[in-house]
Amino acid sequence: MAAGPWGWGLAVLPLLLLAVLRCAARRLRTRSAAESAGVSRDDDVSALLVTAHPDDEVMFFAPTLLCLGRAGARLAVLCCSAGNYYNQGEIRKKELEQSCRLLGVPTSSVTVIDHRDLPDNPSVEWDTQLLASFVLKHIEANNINLVVTFDAGGVSGHANHISLYTALRYLHSERKLPEGCRVLVLESVNLLRKYISILDVPLSCLLPRDVLFILTEEETQQARRAMQCHHSQLLWFRRIYMLFSRYVVINSLHLLEKTTLTTQGVKE
């Protein structure tokens, strides 16, 4: 039976919606990366992404790295474990360096902390004082004035992710960070929003946030190529994640001083 005009219209509607959203993302990209973050090419911004494991930088923060890089910020990554849960730490360090290069972070600016008291373990909360000391030392040694990490929900509720937030919250609340150093935390969203990819653009634009980074289709493909560097982690469920997760396309972030200083957050 031939489809009537309404049938064809309903079939085409999702494609039109995606096209509109892609266009909106392309228009918003430059303003989101520069104006919303307070970063322009005239600013002297040295940004540090603090992650828990190799592959966090692309699975959760690719929009932040790519957009900050486009806005002219100097980029560095501090990964607080080697990701050695399955004894793959040495492999994952090399994968991290390869991924970061594709995301605009030079190998010389990628640092991995491989400390026995900071194990890659989803059930272990890292010691706040120890972690904070590592992070602060790196910030001071590299003249960092913008730090990016997870919020209290850790996106997935991973204890290691949340530990990073706790450490940065401690440094901020105790006024230990260098003067002028800002901290942005990645917003944890509910499970539905997490897996609707670019369809989350309208909500992300409307809901309160301090910074919004949105990738174009070309940049999204760049992020997916970076994830291909993490060969040891490319199990079937991560491949699906890279297709549907909004974090591959969208990052909405909040300045730490505007967040509630609790360890409560959105968890899956």
Side-chain angles (χ1 to χ4, degrees), residues 156-196:
S156 61
H158 197 299
N160 297 166
H161 295 181
I162 296 169
S163 295
L164 300 180
Y165 168 80
T166 305
L168 264 300
R169 183 194 67 191
Y170 164 75
L171 291 173
H172 179 269
S173 63
E174 295 296 320
R175 302 185 183 278
K176 293 181 179 291
L177 293 172
E179 184 177 356
C181 183
R182 297 166 291 168
V183 180
L184 286 171
V185 294
L186 182 65
E187 179 185 17
S188 295
V189 300
N190 62 50
L191 194 60
L192 175 61
R193 288 185 63 197
K194 184 175 179 179
Y195 290 110
I196 58 174

Short mmCIF file of all heavy atoms in Angstrom, two decimals, residues 156-196:
data_model
loop_
_atom_site.label_atom_id
_atom_site.label_comp_id
_atom_site.label_asym_id
_atom_site.label_seq_id
_atom_site.Cartn_x
_atom_site.Cartn_y
_atom_site.Cartn_z
N SER A 156 27.89 9.32 35.97
CA SER A 156 27.41 7.94 36.09
C SER A 156 27.34 7.46 37.54
O SER A 156 27.01 6.31 37.79
CB SER A 156 28.34 7.00 35.31
OG SER A 156 29.66 7.05 35.85
N GLY A 157 27.67 8.34 38.48
CA GLY A 157 27.68 7.93 39.88
C GLY A 157 28.94 7.19 40.28
O GLY A 157 29.03 6.66 41.39
N HIS A 158 29.94 7.14 39.40
CA HIS A 158 31.19 6.43 39.68
C HIS A 158 31.90 7.11 40.85
O HIS A 158 32.12 8.32 40.85
CB HIS A 158 32.08 6.46 38.44
CG HIS A 158 33.19 5.46 38.44
ND1 HIS A 158 34.20 5.47 39.40
CD2 HIS A 158 33.48 4.44 37.59
CE1 HIS A 158 35.04 4.50 39.13
NE2 HIS A 158 34.63 3.85 38.05
N ALA A 159 32.29 6.32 41.86
CA ALA A 159 32.90 6.89 43.07
C ALA A 159 34.18 7.66 42.76
O ALA A 159 34.46 8.69 43.39
CB ALA A 159 33.20 5.78 44.07
N ASN A 160 34.97 7.19 41.79
CA ASN A 160 36.19 7.91 41.44
C ASN A 160 35.88 9.27 40.84
O ASN A 160 36.57 10.27 41.12
CB ASN A 160 37.03 7.11 40.45
CG ASN A 160 37.53 5.78 40.99
OD1 ASN A 160 38.00 4.94 40.23
ND2 ASN A 160 37.44 5.55 42.30
N HIS A 161 34.85 9.35 39.99
CA HIS A 161 34.44 10.62 39.41
C HIS A 161 34.03 11.61 40.50
O HIS A 161 34.44 12.78 40.49
CB HIS A 161 33.26 10.43 38.47
CG HIS A 161 33.54 9.60 37.26
ND1 HIS A 161 32.59 9.34 36.29
CD2 HIS A 161 34.67 8.95 36.86
CE1 HIS A 161 33.11 8.58 35.35
NE2 HIS A 161 34.37 8.33 35.67
N ILE A 162 33.22 11.13 41.43
CA ILE A 162 32.72 11.99 42.49
C ILE A 162 33.86 12.47 43.39
O ILE A 162 33.84 13.61 43.89
CB ILE A 162 31.64 11.25 43.30
CG1 ILE A 162 30.43 10.93 42.40
CG2 ILE A 162 31.19 12.06 44.52
CD1 ILE A 162 29.43 9.99 43.01
N SER A 163 34.87 11.64 43.56
CA SER A 163 36.02 12.03 44.37
C SER A 163 36.73 13.26 43.80
O SER A 163 37.25 14.09 44.55
CB SER A 163 37.01 10.87 44.48
OG SER A 163 36.45 9.78 45.18
N LEU A 164 36.75 13.37 42.48
CA LEU A 164 37.37 14.54 41.86
C LEU A 164 36.61 15.80 42.23
O LEU A 164 37.21 16.84 42.56
CB LEU A 164 37.41 14.38 40.34
CG LEU A 164 38.19 13.18 39.79
CD1 LEU A 164 38.13 13.18 38.27
CD2 LEU A 164 39.64 13.22 40.26
N TYR A 165 35.29 15.73 42.14
CA TYR A 165 34.47 16.87 42.54
C TYR A 165 34.72 17.24 44.00
O TYR A 165 34.89 18.42 44.34
CB TYR A 165 32.99 16.56 42.33
CG TYR A 165 32.07 17.57 42.97
CD1 TYR A 165 31.82 18.79 42.35
CD2 TYR A 165 31.49 17.32 44.21
CE1 TYR A 165 30.99 19.74 42.95
CE2 TYR A 165 30.67 18.25 44.82
CZ TYR A 165 30.43 19.45 44.18
OH TYR A 165 29.62 20.39 44.79
N THR A 166 34.75 16.24 44.86
CA THR A 166 34.95 16.50 46.28
C THR A 166 36.29 17.19 46.54
O THR A 166 36.38 18.12 47.35
CB THR A 166 34.89 15.17 47.07
OG1 THR A 166 33.64 14.52 46.79
CG2 THR A 166 34.98 15.43 48.56
N ALA A 167 37.33 16.75 45.83
CA ALA A 167 38.65 17.36 46.00
C ALA A 167 38.68 18.80 45.52
O ALA A 167 39.23 19.69 46.19
CB ALA A 167 39.70 16.53 45.26
N LEU A 168 38.07 19.07 44.35
CA LEU A 168 38.04 20.44 43.85
C LEU A 168 37.15 21.32 44.70
O LEU A 168 37.44 22.50 44.92
CB LEU A 168 37.56 20.45 42.39
CG LEU A 168 38.64 20.46 41.30
CD1 LEU A 168 39.54 21.70 41.42
CD2 LEU A 168 39.49 19.21 41.35
N ARG A 169 36.05 20.76 45.19
CA ARG A 169 35.18 21.51 46.10
C ARG A 169 35.95 21.89 47.36
O ARG A 169 35.84 23.02 47.86
CB ARG A 169 33.96 20.67 46.47
CG ARG A 169 32.94 21.37 47.35
CD ARG A 169 31.97 20.37 47.93
NE ARG A 169 32.64 19.49 48.88
CZ ARG A 169 32.10 18.39 49.38
NH1 ARG A 169 30.91 18.01 49.00
NH2 ARG A 169 32.78 17.66 50.23
N TYR A 170 36.75 20.97 47.87
CA TYR A 170 37.56 21.24 49.06
C TYR A 170 38.55 22.36 48.79
O TYR A 170 38.67 23.32 49.59
CB TYR A 170 38.30 19.97 49.48
CG TYR A 170 39.42 20.21 50.45
CD1 TYR A 170 39.17 20.50 51.80
CD2 TYR A 170 40.75 20.19 50.01
CE1 TYR A 170 40.21 20.75 52.68
CE2 TYR A 170 41.80 20.43 50.88
CZ TYR A 170 41.53 20.71 52.21
OH TYR A 170 42.56 20.97 53.07
N LEU A 171 39.28 22.29 47.68
CA LEU A 171 40.25 23.32 47.36
C LEU A 171 39.58 24.68 47.20
O LEU A 171 40.11 25.71 47.63
CB LEU A 171 40.99 22.96 46.07
CG LEU A 171 41.94 21.76 46.14
CD1 LEU A 171 42.47 21.43 44.75
CD2 LEU A 171 43.10 22.05 47.10
N HIS A 172 38.40 24.67 46.60
CA HIS A 172 37.67 25.93 46.38
C HIS A 172 37.14 26.50 47.69
O HIS A 172 37.33 27.69 47.99
CB HIS A 172 36.53 25.69 45.41
CG HIS A 172 35.69 26.90 45.15
ND1 HIS A 172 34.59 27.22 45.89
CD2 HIS A 172 35.83 27.89 44.23
CE1 HIS A 172 34.06 28.35 45.44
NE2 HIS A 172 34.80 28.77 44.43
N SER A 173 36.50 25.66 48.49
CA SER A 173 35.89 26.15 49.73
C SER A 173 36.94 26.59 50.75
O SER A 173 36.70 27.49 51.55
CB SER A 173 34.98 25.08 50.35
OG SER A 173 35.73 23.93 50.71
N GLU A 174 38.12 25.96 50.72
CA GLU A 174 39.20 26.33 51.63
C GLU A 174 40.08 27.44 51.06
O GLU A 174 41.09 27.80 51.67
CB GLU A 174 40.07 25.10 51.92
CG GLU A 174 39.35 24.00 52.68
CD GLU A 174 38.92 24.45 54.08
OE1 GLU A 174 39.73 25.16 54.72
OE2 GLU A 174 37.81 24.09 54.51
N ARG A 175 39.70 27.96 49.89
CA ARG A 175 40.42 29.06 49.25
C ARG A 175 41.90 28.73 49.00
O ARG A 175 42.78 29.57 49.17
CB ARG A 175 40.29 30.36 50.06
CG ARG A 175 38.84 30.79 50.28
CD ARG A 175 38.76 32.13 50.99
NE ARG A 175 37.38 32.49 51.25
CZ ARG A 175 36.55 33.05 50.38
NH1 ARG A 175 36.99 33.32 49.15
NH2 ARG A 175 35.31 33.36 50.72
N LYS A 176 42.14 27.51 48.62
CA LYS A 176 43.50 27.07 48.35
C LYS A 176 43.90 27.25 46.89
O LYS A 176 45.08 27.18 46.55
CB LYS A 176 43.68 25.61 48.76
CG LYS A 176 43.59 25.38 50.27
CD LYS A 176 43.79 23.90 50.61
CE LYS A 176 43.72 23.67 52.11
NZ LYS A 176 44.89 24.26 52.81
N LEU A 177 42.91 27.46 46.02
CA LEU A 177 43.22 27.64 44.60
C LEU A 177 43.86 29.00 44.36
O LEU A 177 43.58 29.96 45.09
CB LEU A 177 41.93 27.53 43.78
CG LEU A 177 41.26 26.16 43.73
CD1 LEU A 177 39.90 26.25 43.06
CD2 LEU A 177 42.14 25.14 43.01
N PRO A 178 44.72 29.11 43.36
CA PRO A 178 45.32 30.40 43.04
C PRO A 178 44.25 31.44 42.72
O PRO A 178 43.17 31.11 42.22
CB PRO A 178 46.18 30.10 41.80
CG PRO A 178 46.44 28.63 41.86
CD PRO A 178 45.23 28.03 42.48
N GLU A 179 44.55 32.68 43.01
CA GLU A 179 43.60 33.75 42.74
C GLU A 179 43.25 33.79 41.26
O GLU A 179 44.13 33.72 40.40
CB GLU A 179 44.19 35.09 43.18
CG GLU A 179 43.22 36.26 43.03
CD GLU A 179 43.82 37.56 43.53
OE1 GLU A 179 44.96 37.52 44.05
OE2 GLU A 179 43.15 38.60 43.39
N GLY A 180 41.96 33.88 40.97
CA GLY A 180 41.51 33.95 39.59
C GLY A 180 41.29 32.61 38.93
O GLY A 180 40.84 32.56 37.78
N CYS A 181 41.59 31.53 39.62
CA CYS A 181 41.39 30.20 39.04
C CYS A 181 39.93 29.79 39.20
O CYS A 181 39.42 29.69 40.31
CB CYS A 181 42.29 29.18 39.73
SG CYS A 181 42.18 27.51 39.02
N ARG A 182 39.27 29.57 38.08
CA ARG A 182 37.86 29.17 38.08
C ARG A 182 37.74 27.65 37.94
O ARG A 182 38.60 27.01 37.36
CB ARG A 182 37.11 29.84 36.93
CG ARG A 182 37.05 31.36 37.01
CD ARG A 182 36.59 31.95 35.69
NE ARG A 182 37.62 31.77 34.66
CZ ARG A 182 37.40 31.97 33.37
NH1 ARG A 182 36.21 32.33 32.93
NH2 ARG A 182 38.38 31.78 32.49
N VAL A 183 36.63 27.13 38.45
CA VAL A 183 36.36 25.68 38.35
C VAL A 183 35.00 25.48 37.71
O VAL A 183 33.99 26.03 38.19
CB VAL A 183 36.39 24.99 39.73
CG1 VAL A 183 36.11 23.49 39.57
CG2 VAL A 183 37.74 25.20 40.41
N LEU A 184 34.96 24.72 36.63
CA LEU A 184 33.71 24.35 35.98
C LEU A 184 33.46 22.86 36.20
O LEU A 184 34.37 22.04 36.06
CB LEU A 184 33.79 24.61 34.47
CG LEU A 184 33.70 26.07 34.01
CD1 LEU A 184 34.03 26.16 32.52
CD2 LEU A 184 32.31 26.64 34.27
N VAL A 185 32.22 22.52 36.56
CA VAL A 185 31.88 21.12 36.77
C VAL A 185 30.82 20.69 35.76
O VAL A 185 29.88 21.43 35.47
CB VAL A 185 31.41 20.86 38.22
CG1 VAL A 185 32.55 21.08 39.19
CG2 VAL A 185 30.22 21.73 38.60
N LEU A 186 30.99 19.49 35.23
CA LEU A 186 30.11 18.96 34.19
C LEU A 186 28.79 18.50 34.79
O LEU A 186 28.76 17.72 35.73
CB LEU A 186 30.80 17.78 33.50
CG LEU A 186 30.05 17.11 32.35
CD1 LEU A 186 29.90 18.07 31.18
CD2 LEU A 186 30.80 15.86 31.92
N GLU A 187 27.71 18.99 34.22
CA GLU A 187 26.38 18.69 34.75
C GLU A 187 25.99 17.22 34.52
O GLU A 187 26.05 16.72 33.40
CB GLU A 187 25.34 19.59 34.08
CG GLU A 187 23.92 19.34 34.56
CD GLU A 187 22.89 20.16 33.81
OE1 GLU A 187 23.22 20.68 32.71
OE2 GLU A 187 21.76 20.26 34.30
N SER A 188 25.57 16.55 35.58
CA SER A 188 25.00 15.20 35.46
C SER A 188 23.51 15.33 35.15
O SER A 188 22.80 16.06 35.83
CB SER A 188 25.19 14.42 36.77
OG SER A 188 26.55 14.20 37.05
N VAL A 189 23.06 14.65 34.12
CA VAL A 189 21.65 14.69 33.73
C VAL A 189 21.02 13.33 33.95
O VAL A 189 21.70 12.33 34.17
CB VAL A 189 21.50 15.13 32.26
CG1 VAL A 189 22.09 16.51 32.04
CG2 VAL A 189 22.15 14.12 31.32
N ASN A 190 19.69 13.29 33.87
CA ASN A 190 18.99 12.02 34.09
C ASN A 190 19.23 11.06 32.93
O ASN A 190 19.75 11.44 31.88
CB ASN A 190 17.50 12.25 34.34
CG ASN A 190 16.81 12.90 33.14
OD1 ASN A 190 16.94 12.46 32.01
ND2 ASN A 190 16.06 13.98 33.40
N LEU A 191 18.83 9.82 33.14
CA LEU A 191 19.14 8.75 32.19
C LEU A 191 18.54 9.00 30.82
O LEU A 191 19.16 8.73 29.79
CB LEU A 191 18.65 7.41 32.75
CG LEU A 191 19.17 6.15 32.07
CD1 LEU A 191 20.69 6.06 32.16
CD2 LEU A 191 18.54 4.91 32.69
N LEU A 192 17.31 9.55 30.77
CA LEU A 192 16.68 9.82 29.48
C LEU A 192 17.47 10.85 28.69
O LEU A 192 17.80 10.63 27.52
CB LEU A 192 15.24 10.30 29.70
CG LEU A 192 14.50 10.73 28.43
CD1 LEU A 192 14.38 9.57 27.45
CD2 LEU A 192 13.12 11.30 28.78
N ARG A 193 17.79 11.96 29.32
CA ARG A 193 18.54 13.01 28.62
C ARG A 193 19.93 12.52 28.23
O ARG A 193 20.46 12.92 27.19
CB ARG A 193 18.66 14.25 29.51
CG ARG A 193 17.38 15.04 29.69
CD ARG A 193 17.65 16.30 30.48
NE ARG A 193 18.57 17.19 29.77
CZ ARG A 193 19.24 18.19 30.34
NH1 ARG A 193 19.12 18.41 31.65
NH2 ARG A 193 20.05 18.95 29.62
N LYS A 194 20.49 11.66 29.03
CA LYS A 194 21.85 11.20 28.78
C LYS A 194 21.97 10.48 27.45
O LYS A 194 23.01 10.55 26.77
CB LYS A 194 22.30 10.28 29.92
CG LYS A 194 23.74 9.81 29.82
CD LYS A 194 24.13 9.01 31.05
CE LYS A 194 25.56 8.50 30.95
NZ LYS A 194 25.97 7.73 32.15
N TYR A 195 20.90 9.81 27.03
CA TYR A 195 21.00 8.96 25.84
C TYR A 195 20.10 9.39 24.69
O TYR A 195 19.64 8.56 23.91
CB TYR A 195 20.70 7.51 26.22
CG TYR A 195 21.81 6.91 27.06
CD1 TYR A 195 21.62 6.63 28.41
CD2 TYR A 195 23.07 6.67 26.52
CE1 TYR A 195 22.64 6.10 29.19
CE2 TYR A 195 24.09 6.15 27.28
CZ TYR A 195 23.87 5.86 28.61
OH TYR A 195 24.89 5.36 29.38
N ILE A 196 19.87 10.70 24.57
CA ILE A 196 19.12 11.18 23.40
C ILE A 196 19.99 12.05 22.50
O ILE A 196 19.50 12.75 21.62
CB ILE A 196 17.83 11.93 23.80
CG1 ILE A 196 18.14 13.12 24.70
CG2 ILE A 196 16.84 10.98 24.44
CD1 ILE A 196 16.90 13.98 25.00
#
